[in-house]
Amino acid sequence: MPIANAFVEQNLQSDYRFNLVAGYCPSCHMFQLLEQPNPDQMFHESYPFFTGLSSTMRAHFKEMSEDHIPDAVSRNEESFIIEIGCNDGTFLQNVMDRGMNHLGVDPSKNVVEKAKEKGVNAIDEFYSFEVSKKISERYPSAIRIFASNVICHIPDLHDFLRGIKHNLALEGEFIFEEPYLLSMLKKISYDQLYDEHVYMFSLMSIQKLAEMHNLVLADAIPQETHGGSMRYVLKHADQSEKLSQRGLDLLNEEIKFGLDKLDSYQTFALNCENRKRELVALLKKLKDGNKVVGGYAATSKSTTVLNYCGIGKDLISFISDSTPEKIGTVAPGSYIPIISHEAMKTLKPDYLVLFAWNHEKEILNKEQILTKNGIKWIKFVPEVGFIHEQ
Ligand code: DWN
């Protein structure tokens, strides 16, 4: 498997590949990749993903800041907020607008520059215990530490949580959200598995991990983002906190589904194989019918789909995207050209594979004219078929 976000020109494409293999640990319930490229191969000065490109995510993070930072906290001048993996500052902008002391941390220099342009206070570092000590030399303890779709990127979770414990105020809350393991197994959304996603978390695995670090899982809140995510709230254990009723109910659902049973994962593996066969068969049928098939949104997830299914330019002629940095590049491993949405419209495709299926509502709303003009949208999660089946 190539690096998921290695959207670069054809002549710059590297032949680096790694084994994308996932495993499950029956004792700590962690679901994770067994092999992983070096972080600096994935996160660097030209990381091509920008949170703020999605209006859905902008609204989502505004709501997150309002839900978890009450006025009592925002009005208190002592209050200090940290966001790990702040990307282009989409979340922290809301904190800054409320006049709060804050700091963003992100290993990708280019996205941090975008955050700074917004006036957000941010540093380009890979958060760790060492970095947490540098932060505490200059800043007070944080009443809130936030992280979204980031913790799953961090190989050394133990060092990371030592840092969190060091920066989190005694009565503070560490709030993070990630694609949810149970959603992935139910939807067979295997494209959530790629190099950046070292872990796919569940309440079971987060509760175990927290106990290992004298932290406590106090609450868990399901989220619709990214095809089904879970937001976790961790606190210092000595705050005599225990898991909310909502969290207990979610844990029971995990046990009922069999998230602690190996055969649940073996069934997932078989389901992935079926989805692969079905998608390739559909695309081959369309090709035999001389249909023009393109892709919509050059997502990180698409790299897993295309390379796992062995789909190349013969089955999907191009992929369109709204990210300027991705246009003019090729998709990692399949080398399918990435073009702008405008250019895609001039090519008059008959079918579009929706790779950003987690943004279906926003995209289909945006592209109603395409649908009216007869374009058919292909989906592959939770099953292979057409959106708006005629
Ligand atoms: O976990 C991660 C999530 C948060 O974002 C990261 N590891 C990497 C990234 O994953 P992704 O690339 O799968 O993210 P999205 O948000 O599913 O897709 C973003 C891509 O979709 C961008 O390249 C932009 C494109 N897009 C578009 O072209 N038109 C997105 C929308 C909403 C659109 O309307």
Side-chain angles (χ1 to χ4, degrees):
M1 193 63 77
I3 296 288
N5 256 313
F7 291 98
V8 294
E9 286 85 29
Q10 175 96 32
N11 61 336
L12 297 175
Q13 281 287 337
S14 100
D15 52 13
Y16 169 86
R17 297 289 181 273
F18 77 104
N19 289 328
L20 182 64
V21 182
Y24 168 72
C25 172
S27 69
C28 76
H29 307 303
M30 191 59 80
F31 182 94
Q32 67 171 89
L33 302 187
L34 304 188
E35 247 190 66
Q36 213 234 337
N38 294 328
D40 51 21
Q41 287 177 276
M42 298 177 281
F43 309 109
H44 39 69
E45 68 289 341
S46 51
Y47 183 65
F49 172 77
F50 304 91
T51 308
L53 277 179
S54 160
S55 57
T56 310
M57 298 314 288
R58 291 196 301 273
H60 173 76
F61 287 122
K62 183 166 184 359
E63 197 181 311
M64 183 181 192
S65 70
E66 287 156 1
D67 289 352
H68 293 277
I69 306 176
D71 290 346
V73 169
S74 64
R75 286 208 204 95
N76 177 346
E77 284 173 5
E78 307 291 309
S79 294
F80 173 57
I81 307 285
I82 296 177
E83 187 195 12
I84 296 160
C86 67
N87 197 268
D88 58 9
T90 296
F91 171 83
L92 275 179
Q93 183 158 16
N94 301 291
V95 173
M96 178 185 76
D97 293 348
R98 291 166 73 180
M100 299 185 72
N101 189 10
H102 64 275
L103 176 69
V105 186
D106 195 295
S108 299
K109 203 174 181 53
N110 62 327
V111 294
V112 166
E113 285 315 313
K114 295 251 184 194
K116 287 180 177 173
E117 282 160 20
K118 292 187 177 104
V120 166
N121 179 29
I123 55 176
D124 62 280
E125 293 271 8
F126 207 101
Y127 189 83
S128 64
F129 182 54
E130 274 315 303
V131 170
S132 76
K133 288 192 282 183
K134 277 203 268 182
I135 292 173
S136 62
E137 280 159 17
R138 291 193 51 200
Y139 297 95
S141 293
I143 190 69
R144 295 283 184 279
I145 301 181
F146 291 92
S148 295
N149 311 304
V150 166
I151 314 302
C152 64
H153 294 177
I154 298 172
D156 189 345
L157 285 176
H158 297 304
D159 172 80
F160 172 82
L161 285 177
R162 277 184 71 208
I164 293 292
K165 288 191 61 138
H166 184 70
N167 285 142
L168 188 65
L170 203 50
E171 68 293 357
E173 294 180 2
F174 171 39
I175 300 160
F176 63 102
E177 62 182 44
E178 305 282 339
Y180 185 36
L181 179 61
L182 187 52
S183 299
M184 183 183 78
L185 263 61
K186 284 182 176 173
K187 290 184 177 175
I188 314 168
S189 50
Y190 59 86
D191 61 345
Q192 285 288 10
L193 298 176
Y194 53 91
D195 46 36
E196 296 178 17
H197 287 179
V198 185
Y199 306 97
M200 288 295 290
F201 296 125
S202 62
L203 276 80
M204 283 182 191
S205 60
I206 291 294
Q207 199 171 45
K208 271 267 184 214
L209 187 60
E211 280 161 18
M212 292 177 190
H213 291 271
N214 204 21
L215 289 163
V216 63
L217 175 62
D219 198 3
I221 312 150
Q223 306 292 317
E224 287 182 5
T225 47
H226 291 297
S229 295
M230 188 61 71
R231 183 179 296 168
Y232 306 94
V233 179
L234 295 191
K235 297 183 177 183
H236 288 289
D238 41 25
Q239 293 301 299
S240 66
E241 280 283 343
K242 54 186 188 3
L243 183 55
S244 64
Q245 187 56 49
R246 168 171 51 193
L248 290 170
D249 297 345
L250 290 164
L251 257 182
N252 288 337
E253 273 179 42
E254 291 186 356
I255 293 160
K256 241 183 4 207
F257 180 90
L259 219 50
D260 56 347
K261 302 278 181 306
L262 196 54
D263 58 17
S264 302
Y265 300 95
Q266 289 156 339
T267 304
F268 172 68
L270 291 174
N271 290 337
C272 292
E273 287 293 306
N274 295 337
R275 289 289 176 279
K276 170 164 73 174
R277 258 195 309 278
E278 292 156 3
L279 180 58
V280 172
L282 172 62
L283 293 175
K284 284 192 173 152
K285 200 173 92 203
L286 296 176
K287 181 180 177 218
D288 298 346
N290 295 321
K291 299 298 182 187
V292 176
V293 179
Y296 193 101
T299 61
S300 320
K301 298 185 286 294
S302 66
T303 301
T304 293
V305 177
L306 296 168
N307 290 278
Y308 173 57
C309 300
I311 295 167
K313 283 181 274 192
D314 56 329
L315 294 177
I316 294 181
S317 313
F318 52 78
I319 300 175
S320 64
D321 195 88
S322 59
T323 315
E325 287 80 0
K326 288 183 179 176
I327 294 162
T329 70
V330 295
S334 63
Y335 304 153
I336 296 170
I338 312 299
I339 62 176
S340 67
H341 294 315
E342 295 64 39
M344 171 267 283
K345 290 166 187 169
T346 65
L347 298 173
K348 299 199 175 332
D350 302 298
Y351 294 84
L352 286 171
V353 178
L354 182 58
F355 286 116
W357 53 273
N358 46 306
H359 296 297
E360 179 181 319
K361 207 152 143 268
E362 177 177 343
I363 290 172
L364 293 188
N365 182 38
K366 209 183 280 186
E367 304 293 1
Q368 291 175 37
I369 296 170
L370 284 180
T371 308
K372 279 206 186 71
N373 296 346
I375 276 189
K376 290 201 176 46
W377 296 87
I378 295 171
K379 62 179 180 180
F380 52 90
V381 170
E383 68 276 322
V384 172
F386 301 109
I387 301 174
H388 300 307
E389 202 93 39
Q390 303 307 325

